[in-house]
Amino acid sequence: MEYVILFFIGLCATTMGTLAGGGGLISLPVMLIMGIPVHSAIGANKVSNTVSSFSSFFYLLKKKEISLKESFWMIPVSICGGISGGYIASRVSGENMYIVAIVLLIFAFIVSFIGKGNFNGKEPLKLNKISVPGLYSIGIYDGLFGPGQGTLMLYLFGYLNIGYIRAVGLVRLATFSSCFGAAITYIATGKIIWPVTLALLLGSLSGAQIGVRIAQKLKPQYVKPILRIVTAALIIQIFAENVL
């Protein structure tokens, strides 16, 4: 029964995460309630996200919604960020990670109201002084903690004037890359409980395919309100769990 629950957790979390990020809002708290150790729960998310995010990216690549030429350079940047975050996570207390998460999410929430990005843009993703440090920093955050990574990345791509469906594809590729780097760290340190991870992974694969198909039909003007709702929910959840 535990594995059936984990399958549906992966399904719901990844569907939501594909559309607006914040999948960890569902998966991580429920896994902790189920008694799964925090590092094993985070590690399971990293392994399952590695596979599911690549599957949704590959779907959009086949549909020619995104090009490999535009996005290939993201892979080493995000992998390095994920490895850095996974390494730091083993040496930073959980309380400090939660503080970082709240600060970043509040910052992203405020920026969403003053930023000009509206996901209607047709600009290609370029290697510049904003995209590279932005992706690397979010990769570190993903390896450190995770929940909110996709949301933060969508804000970044909105700011860079990337269209929504392309932004989803780029987020999934960056998620694959940073989670791959972080997953290596969690596997190497023996934090992975494989039956738990595989059940979550199967649900995540299904959720990724559902989410990416919904994303193709979602109008850009609805994206920012959804992002704000997800961001506010993440802030409230993290604050309630660790401050109150």
Side-chain angles (χ1 to χ4, degrees):
M1 187 63 180
E2 178 187 53
Y3 300 132
V4 174
I5 293 171
L6 285 166
F7 174 86
F8 282 105
I9 290 170
L11 175 70
C12 296
T14 307
T15 300
M16 174 179 165
T18 300
L19 293 173
L25 179 69
I26 298 172
S27 60
L28 192 57
V30 177
M31 292 175 77
L32 294 177
I33 290 170
M34 292 173 69
I36 298 169
V38 61
H39 284 91
S40 296
I42 294 173
N45 274 288
K46 298 311 166 195
V47 173
S48 63
N49 281 340
T50 299
V51 179
S52 63
S53 58
F54 182 79
S55 74
S56 50
F57 166 76
F58 188 68
Y59 171 82
L60 291 175
L61 186 67
K62 286 197 304 180
K63 293 288 184 180
K64 301 189 185 302
E65 298 282 4
I66 191 170
S67 72
L68 196 58
K69 181 180 179 181
E70 172 190 19
S71 54
F72 188 77
W73 64 268
M74 293 172 54
I75 298 175
V77 175
S78 295
I79 286 178
C80 288
I83 291 174
S84 301
Y87 178 79
I88 295 168
S90 63
R91 287 161 173 76
V92 176
S93 70
E95 291 79 7
N96 289 332
M97 286 197 282
Y98 292 130
I99 292 169
V100 170
I102 290 173
V103 170
L104 284 175
L105 288 167
I106 290 174
F107 175 75
F109 186 75
I110 294 170
V111 167
S112 76
F113 287 95
I114 60 178
K116 296 181 179 179
N118 58 9
F119 295 100
N120 281 313
K122 300 184 182 299
E123 291 291 321
L125 180 63
K126 296 176 182 176
L127 229 156
N128 57 42
K129 62 182 181 181
I130 295 175
S131 61
V132 174
L135 285 167
Y136 180 70
S137 299
I138 295 172
I140 291 176
Y141 172 80
D142 192 27
L144 261 173
F145 186 67
Q149 171 263 355
T151 307
L152 291 170
M153 202 158 284
L154 279 169
Y155 281 125
L156 174 64
F157 291 136
Y159 179 81
L160 293 171
N161 204 28
I162 305 295
Y164 175 61
I165 192 62
R166 287 173 53 240
V168 168
L170 293 169
V171 168
R172 302 318 289 166
L173 179 62
T175 301
F176 159 74
S177 304
S178 60
C179 284
F180 178 76
I184 290 173
T185 307
Y186 283 99
I187 292 170
T189 54
K191 302 295 185 183
I192 301 298
I193 302 173
W194 283 108
V196 167
T197 301
L198 291 174
L200 189 72
L201 189 156
L202 290 173
S204 295
L205 275 172
S206 303
Q209 294 306 307
I210 293 170
V212 79
R213 285 164 173 78
I214 296 173
Q216 287 182 297
K217 303 179 186 302
L218 193 63
K219 293 181 179 179
Q221 62 263 36
Y222 298 139
V223 176
K224 271 201 172 180
I226 293 172
L227 279 174
R228 288 168 185 155
I229 291 169
V230 170
T231 306
L234 279 163
I235 293 167
I236 292 168
Q237 180 227 22
I238 294 169
F239 185 82
E241 284 188 355
N242 302 282
V243 179
L244 297 181

